Amino acid sequence: MLQPTPPPPDAPPDASTVPDASTVPDTLAFPGDAALQTAFGTWQDELLRERRMAGNTAEAYARDLRQFLAHRQARHGRPDIPGLVALKPRDLRGFLAARRAEGIGGRSLMRQLAGLRSFARHLAREGHGTVAALGAVRSPKVERRLPRPIPIPAAKAMTGTALRDGEDREPWIIARDAAVIALLYGSGLRISEALGLAARDAPGPGTESITVTGKGDKMRMVPVLPAVQQAVAAYRAACPYSLDPEGPLFVGAKGGPLSPRIIQYAVASMRGALGLPPSATPHALRHSFATHLLGRQGELRAIQELLGHASLSTTQLYTKVDAARLMDAFDAAHPRAGTVRRVSGGASGL
C-alpha cells in the first residue's frame, strides 16, 4: 500500500489533506514491440521539443496511449505498428466502452482520443500509413465546466498575511506565499508562470507590467498592481537567502526552487479558514482574476490577452460565469423572480 508523502518543511500544518497525484507511480509498462516503442519515443520527443507541448499534457498522452495498447495486448497479443494502422472503428469503440465501464468520464475519454490521434498523425508523418479508424470515431460530447471563482473578499484575504498570523511558520515563508498568491489573483498568472519568474524579473515599486512565459513558451505582458508590487517587495525584504538574478524569484525553505505543492498547501489551509469549497485552488485565483475583471466591465479580448488564452472561446467561458452570477442574484432579490422563471424567456413576465 502506498504511504502518504510527508509534507515539505515549509508547508502549513494541515498540508497532508491535499492529495498529490505525483506520488502515485505509473506502473504500466509499455506494451508493444521494439518498432512501436521506438515510434513512441520519437513521438514524445516531437511533442516536447518541436510542438513545445506542456510536460503534463505529453505525459497524459503517453499514459493514454499505453492504456490503449495494454487493452489491445490483453485481447489480441503484443501490439505493433501494422496492427495499429489496420485498426477498425469497433476496436476503438470497444476500448472507449471499456474505459467508460471503469468510470472514466467523457472529458478524459476525449483526451484519450486526442492522444491516440496525435500518435496516429506521427505514424503517418513517419511513413507507416494512416490509422483511418480514428476518423470514423466521434469524440464524446462533454459540457465544458464553468470556472468557479473565489468571492472577492476571500480572494483579497488570501493575498495578505493576516489570515495566517497564528500559524507556526517563518514570517518570510508566509510573506512569500502571499506574494505568489497576489500574482495569481492580481495578475492572472498560472502557478507555473509565477514560480517560473526569475529574480531579475521581479516586479518592484513602480513596475506597471512584467513579461511572463506561458504555455508553449509563449510570452505575454501582464499588469502588476501596486498591491502585488508591495507583496513581492515584502517577500524579498524578508527572504533570508540572497537571490541569484538568473535564479528563481521564489525559493523554498532550503533555498531551492519553490514547489507548486507548497502554494497548494497554503491555499488549502486558508480555504479551510475561510470556509471555501475544495474548488478554491491556486488556479481558481486565476479564474477569479478573469471573472472579477469581467464583472467590472473588463473587455473580453483584453482579458484573453492577459490570460494568454490562444482561443477567445476559452475566455468566453467567463461570460457564462458572470451571467450565472447575475441570474442567481436576480432569483434571490427580485420579488417576481419565480414568476419570471415560469414564463417563457422570463422577460415577458415583468
Side-chain angles (χ1 to χ4, degrees):
M1 176 166 301
L2 292 173
Q3 298 297 320
T5 303
D10 50 353
D14 64 343
S16 59
T17 61
V18 181
D20 176 32
S22 67
T23 63
V24 182
D26 185 0
T27 57
L28 185 60
F30 183 85
D33 65 5
L36 185 55
Q37 188 159 2
T38 298
F40 172 84
T42 55
W43 170 60
Q44 282 283 289
D45 187 68
E46 175 186 284
L47 293 180
L48 292 169
R49 295 180 183 276
E50 296 180 24
R51 294 189 55 196
R52 295 183 176 181
M53 181 176 283
N56 288 342
T57 305
E59 183 181 341
Y61 275 17
R63 185 169 57 248
D64 293 339
L65 177 60
R66 288 198 300 268
Q67 288 171 344
F68 174 71
L69 295 177
H71 173 87
R72 293 288 297 166
Q73 181 167 267
R75 289 157 179 78
H76 303 285
R78 197 175 192 187
D80 55 21
I81 293 176
L84 292 184
V85 173
L87 282 172
K88 303 297 182 185
R90 65 173 178 269
D91 299 322
L92 293 161
R93 294 189 185 108
F95 168 67
L96 295 176
R99 295 293 286 155
R100 177 88 66 181
E102 294 169 3
I104 303 302
R107 190 175 302 275
S108 294
L109 293 179
M110 186 167 61
R111 190 203 63 218
Q112 291 203 298
L113 269 180
L116 294 179
R117 285 173 175 144
S118 173
F119 184 62
R121 288 192 296 270
H122 174 75
L123 292 180
R125 283 193 295 270
E126 294 294 309
H128 295 293
T130 301
V131 185
L134 280 165
V137 178
R138 293 183 179 179
S139 297
K141 292 184 179 180
V142 294
E143 188 70 24
R144 296 193 74 176
R145 289 179 294 193
L146 294 180
R148 297 183 180 181
I150 297 171
I152 291 175
K156 286 183 176 180
M158 285 184 169
T159 63
T161 59
L163 194 62
R164 301 178 64 189
D165 278 347
E167 291 186 16
D168 184 21
R169 312 240 54 82
E170 294 286 341
W172 79 268
I173 286 178
I174 293 179
R176 176 203 64 196
D177 295 350
V180 175
I181 292 169
L183 281 164
L184 304 185
Y185 178 58
S187 298
L189 301 192
R190 300 177 178 93
I191 190 169
S192 59
E193 293 168 349
L195 300 188
L197 289 173
R200 67 172 184 273
D201 299 323
T207 303
E208 295 185 353
S209 64
I210 56 174
T211 300
V212 298
T213 303
K215 288 185 176 180
D217 287 340
K218 294 180 180 177
M219 303 181 76
R220 72 181 189 279
M221 189 173 291
V222 297
V224 181
L225 300 170
V228 177
Q229 299 168 20
Q230 293 165 11
V232 173
Y235 152 65
R236 297 196 70 180
C239 181
Y241 298 103
S242 177
L243 300 177
D244 180 353
E246 302 302 317
L249 169 60
F250 297 107
V251 296
K254 297 182 179 180
L258 179 61
S259 167
R261 290 174 56 201
I262 300 301
I263 304 303
Q264 293 166 358
Y265 291 143
V267 170
S269 174
M270 290 186 283
R271 181 172 69 212
L274 292 166
L276 297 172
S279 60
T281 62
H283 200 67
L285 288 158
R286 173 174 155 88
H287 293 323
S288 305
F289 164 83
T291 305
H292 298 163
L293 270 182
L294 190 62
R296 299 291 181 91
Q297 308 302 311
E299 202 272 326
L300 198 60
R301 280 286 183 187
I303 295 173
Q304 177 193 2
E305 293 294 327
L306 293 175
L307 291 172
H309 285 161
S311 170
L312 185 62
S313 63
T314 305
T315 315
Q316 284 173 331
L317 283 178
Y318 296 104
T319 64
K320 296 182 180 179
V321 174
D322 204 48
R325 179 185 62 79
L326 290 173
M327 290 310 298
D328 287 343
F330 173 79
D331 281 342
H334 198 283
R336 299 193 64 187
T339 304
V340 171
R341 289 289 184 159
R342 288 193 294 271
V343 178
S344 63
S348 59
L350 289 175

